[in-house]
Short mmCIF file of all heavy atoms in Angstrom, two decimals:
data_model
loop_
_atom_site.label_atom_id
_atom_site.label_comp_id
_atom_site.label_asym_id
_atom_site.label_seq_id
_atom_site.Cartn_x
_atom_site.Cartn_y
_atom_site.Cartn_z
N GLU A 543 9.26 23.17 -18.74
CA GLU A 543 8.46 24.42 -18.72
C GLU A 543 7.29 24.24 -17.76
O GLU A 543 6.56 23.25 -17.81
CB GLU A 543 7.92 24.68 -20.12
CG GLU A 543 7.16 25.95 -20.26
CD GLU A 543 7.97 27.05 -20.96
OE1 GLU A 543 8.94 26.73 -21.66
OE2 GLU A 543 7.60 28.21 -20.76
N VAL A 556 -5.20 23.48 -10.88
CA VAL A 556 -5.99 22.23 -10.69
C VAL A 556 -5.11 21.04 -10.95
O VAL A 556 -5.13 20.05 -10.23
CB VAL A 556 -7.24 22.25 -11.60
CG1 VAL A 556 -8.00 20.94 -11.44
CG2 VAL A 556 -8.13 23.42 -11.28
N LEU A 563 0.61 17.28 -11.28
CA LEU A 563 1.34 17.56 -12.54
C LEU A 563 1.81 19.01 -12.52
O LEU A 563 0.98 19.92 -12.31
CB LEU A 563 0.42 17.32 -13.75
CG LEU A 563 -0.26 15.94 -13.81
CD1 LEU A 563 -1.25 15.89 -14.96
CD2 LEU A 563 0.78 14.84 -13.96
N ASP A 603 -33.63 9.75 -24.76
CA ASP A 603 -34.71 10.73 -24.63
C ASP A 603 -34.38 11.72 -23.53
O ASP A 603 -33.50 11.47 -22.71
CB ASP A 603 -36.09 10.06 -24.42
CG ASP A 603 -36.17 9.38 -23.09
OD1 ASP A 603 -35.88 10.01 -22.04
OD2 ASP A 603 -36.53 8.18 -23.05
N SER A 611 -41.00 22.69 -4.46
CA SER A 611 -40.03 22.40 -3.42
C SER A 611 -39.97 23.61 -2.50
O SER A 611 -40.61 24.62 -2.75
CB SER A 611 -38.65 22.16 -4.05
OG SER A 611 -38.15 23.37 -4.54
N ARG A 778 22.98 -1.60 -5.34
CA ARG A 778 23.63 -2.88 -4.99
C ARG A 778 25.13 -2.80 -5.24
O ARG A 778 25.94 -3.29 -4.44
CB ARG A 778 23.01 -4.03 -5.82
CG ARG A 778 21.63 -4.42 -5.42
CD ARG A 778 21.24 -5.76 -6.01
NE ARG A 778 21.27 -5.81 -7.48
CZ ARG A 778 20.29 -5.40 -8.26
NH1 ARG A 778 19.19 -4.90 -7.74
NH2 ARG A 778 20.40 -5.49 -9.58
N PRO A 788 33.12 -8.82 9.34
CA PRO A 788 32.49 -10.16 9.28
C PRO A 788 32.15 -10.63 10.71
O PRO A 788 32.93 -10.39 11.62
CB PRO A 788 33.57 -11.05 8.66
CG PRO A 788 34.59 -10.11 8.08
CD PRO A 788 34.52 -8.85 8.90
N ASP A 802 20.86 -25.43 22.04
CA ASP A 802 20.74 -26.62 22.95
C ASP A 802 19.50 -26.51 23.83
O ASP A 802 18.92 -27.49 24.23
CB ASP A 802 21.98 -26.75 23.82
CG ASP A 802 23.20 -27.20 22.99
OD1 ASP A 802 22.98 -27.66 21.86
OD2 ASP A 802 24.33 -27.06 23.47
N GLU A 818 21.48 -18.97 5.13
CA GLU A 818 21.67 -17.83 4.19
C GLU A 818 22.15 -16.60 4.96
O GLU A 818 23.07 -15.88 4.52
CB GLU A 818 20.35 -17.50 3.46
CG GLU A 818 19.91 -18.57 2.47
CD GLU A 818 18.51 -18.31 1.91
OE1 GLU A 818 17.78 -17.46 2.45
OE2 GLU A 818 18.14 -19.02 0.94
N GLY A 840 7.68 -18.00 12.40
CA GLY A 840 8.89 -18.11 13.24
C GLY A 840 10.00 -17.16 12.79
O GLY A 840 11.18 -17.50 12.97
N LEU A 862 14.51 -3.00 15.71
CA LEU A 862 13.67 -1.83 15.66
C LEU A 862 12.23 -2.26 15.42
O LEU A 862 11.92 -2.90 14.43
CB LEU A 862 14.14 -0.95 14.48
CG LEU A 862 13.70 0.47 14.33
CD1 LEU A 862 14.02 1.29 15.57
CD2 LEU A 862 14.38 1.13 13.13
N LEU A 868 4.70 -3.63 20.63
CA LEU A 868 5.44 -4.68 19.96
C LEU A 868 6.89 -4.80 20.50
O LEU A 868 7.41 -5.90 20.66
CB LEU A 868 5.48 -4.44 18.45
CG LEU A 868 5.86 -5.60 17.58
CD1 LEU A 868 5.06 -6.84 17.93
CD2 LEU A 868 5.68 -5.27 16.13
N ALA A 895 26.54 -15.53 28.54
CA ALA A 895 25.24 -14.84 28.58
C ALA A 895 25.46 -13.38 28.20
O ALA A 895 26.57 -12.88 28.20
CB ALA A 895 24.65 -14.95 29.97
N SER A 904 8.67 5.99 26.32
CA SER A 904 7.92 6.29 27.53
C SER A 904 8.61 5.76 28.82
O SER A 904 8.03 5.80 29.88
CB SER A 904 6.53 5.70 27.45
OG SER A 904 6.66 4.31 27.33
N PHE A 952 8.21 1.81 8.77
CA PHE A 952 9.29 2.71 9.11
C PHE A 952 9.63 3.63 7.96
O PHE A 952 9.78 3.19 6.84
CB PHE A 952 10.55 1.92 9.49
CG PHE A 952 10.48 1.42 10.88
CD1 PHE A 952 10.12 0.13 11.15
CD2 PHE A 952 10.67 2.29 11.95
CE1 PHE A 952 10.00 -0.31 12.45
CE2 PHE A 952 10.58 1.85 13.24
CZ PHE A 952 10.23 0.56 13.48
N LYS A 963 24.75 4.34 13.29
CA LYS A 963 25.32 4.29 14.63
C LYS A 963 26.46 3.26 14.73
O LYS A 963 27.03 3.10 15.81
CB LYS A 963 24.24 4.00 15.68
CG LYS A 963 23.31 5.20 15.84
CD LYS A 963 22.32 5.04 16.96
CE LYS A 963 21.48 6.25 17.15
NZ LYS A 963 22.23 7.39 17.66
N LEU A 990 17.77 -5.58 -1.94
CA LEU A 990 17.91 -6.53 -0.86
C LEU A 990 17.83 -7.94 -1.43
O LEU A 990 17.05 -8.22 -2.33
CB LEU A 990 16.73 -6.38 0.14
CG LEU A 990 16.57 -5.03 0.84
CD1 LEU A 990 15.33 -5.05 1.72
CD2 LEU A 990 17.78 -4.73 1.70
N GLU A 1062 -25.46 6.51 2.56
CA GLU A 1062 -24.67 5.33 2.21
C GLU A 1062 -23.41 5.16 3.00
O GLU A 1062 -22.85 4.11 3.05
CB GLU A 1062 -24.30 5.43 0.72
CG GLU A 1062 -25.51 5.21 -0.14
CD GLU A 1062 -25.17 5.33 -1.62
OE1 GLU A 1062 -24.02 5.59 -1.90
OE2 GLU A 1062 -26.08 5.12 -2.42
N GLY A 1083 -21.60 -9.72 30.83
CA GLY A 1083 -21.07 -10.71 31.78
C GLY A 1083 -19.67 -11.15 31.48
O GLY A 1083 -19.00 -11.75 32.34
N THR A 1117 -6.27 -1.63 14.87
CA THR A 1117 -5.23 -2.50 14.25
C THR A 1117 -3.92 -2.44 15.03
O THR A 1117 -2.94 -2.97 14.54
CB THR A 1117 -4.96 -2.05 12.81
OG1 THR A 1117 -4.68 -0.66 12.83
CG2 THR A 1117 -6.17 -2.29 11.95
N GLY A 1122 2.53 -8.77 15.57
CA GLY A 1122 3.33 -9.27 16.65
C GLY A 1122 2.71 -9.61 17.99
O GLY A 1122 3.38 -10.09 18.86
N ARG A 1175 -13.66 -8.91 -2.33
CA ARG A 1175 -12.32 -8.87 -1.68
C ARG A 1175 -12.34 -9.70 -0.39
O ARG A 1175 -11.46 -10.49 -0.10
CB ARG A 1175 -11.99 -7.41 -1.38
CG ARG A 1175 -10.53 -7.12 -1.34
CD ARG A 1175 -10.26 -5.64 -1.31
NE ARG A 1175 -10.79 -5.00 -0.10
CZ ARG A 1175 -11.50 -3.92 -0.10
NH1 ARG A 1175 -11.79 -3.30 -1.23
NH2 ARG A 1175 -11.92 -3.35 1.03
N LEU A 1188 -2.95 -13.88 -1.66
CA LEU A 1188 -3.70 -12.70 -1.27
C LEU A 1188 -2.98 -11.39 -1.66
O LEU A 1188 -3.59 -10.42 -2.03
CB LEU A 1188 -3.99 -12.71 0.23
CG LEU A 1188 -5.06 -13.70 0.67
CD1 LEU A 1188 -5.16 -13.74 2.20
CD2 LEU A 1188 -6.43 -13.31 0.09
N LEU A 1193 -2.71 -6.49 -4.84
CA LEU A 1193 -2.03 -5.61 -5.80
C LEU A 1193 -2.86 -5.41 -7.05
O LEU A 1193 -2.89 -4.32 -7.60
CB LEU A 1193 -0.72 -6.26 -6.23
CG LEU A 1193 0.45 -5.79 -5.42
CD1 LEU A 1193 1.66 -6.64 -5.76
CD2 LEU A 1193 0.73 -4.35 -5.74
N SER A 1207 8.23 7.54 0.77
CA SER A 1207 9.13 8.43 -0.01
C SER A 1207 8.53 9.81 -0.14
O SER A 1207 9.22 10.74 -0.50
CB SER A 1207 9.37 7.85 -1.39
OG SER A 1207 8.20 7.95 -2.13
N ILE A 1219 2.35 -6.70 -11.26
CA ILE A 1219 2.00 -8.13 -11.32
C ILE A 1219 2.07 -8.66 -12.75
O ILE A 1219 2.68 -9.70 -13.02
CB ILE A 1219 0.57 -8.35 -10.77
CG1 ILE A 1219 0.56 -8.11 -9.27
CG2 ILE A 1219 0.07 -9.74 -11.07
CD1 ILE A 1219 1.11 -9.21 -8.42
N ILE A 1225 10.04 -6.73 -15.97
CA ILE A 1225 10.82 -6.35 -14.80
C ILE A 1225 12.06 -7.24 -14.68
O ILE A 1225 13.19 -6.76 -14.41
CB ILE A 1225 9.97 -6.42 -13.51
CG1 ILE A 1225 8.88 -5.33 -13.58
CG2 ILE A 1225 10.80 -6.25 -12.26
CD1 ILE A 1225 7.81 -5.48 -12.52
#
Side-chain angles (χ1 to χ4, degrees):
E543 183 104 21
V556 177
L563 307 174
D603 67 53
S611 71
R778 287 195 300 276
D802 289 345
E818 291 171 348
L862 194 56
L868 196 51
S904 62
F952 280 100
K963 289 187 177 291
L990 300 177
E1062 289 179 358
T1117 53
R1175 208 169 63 228
L1188 286 173
L1193 266 171
S1207 71
I1219 291 282
I1225 292 169

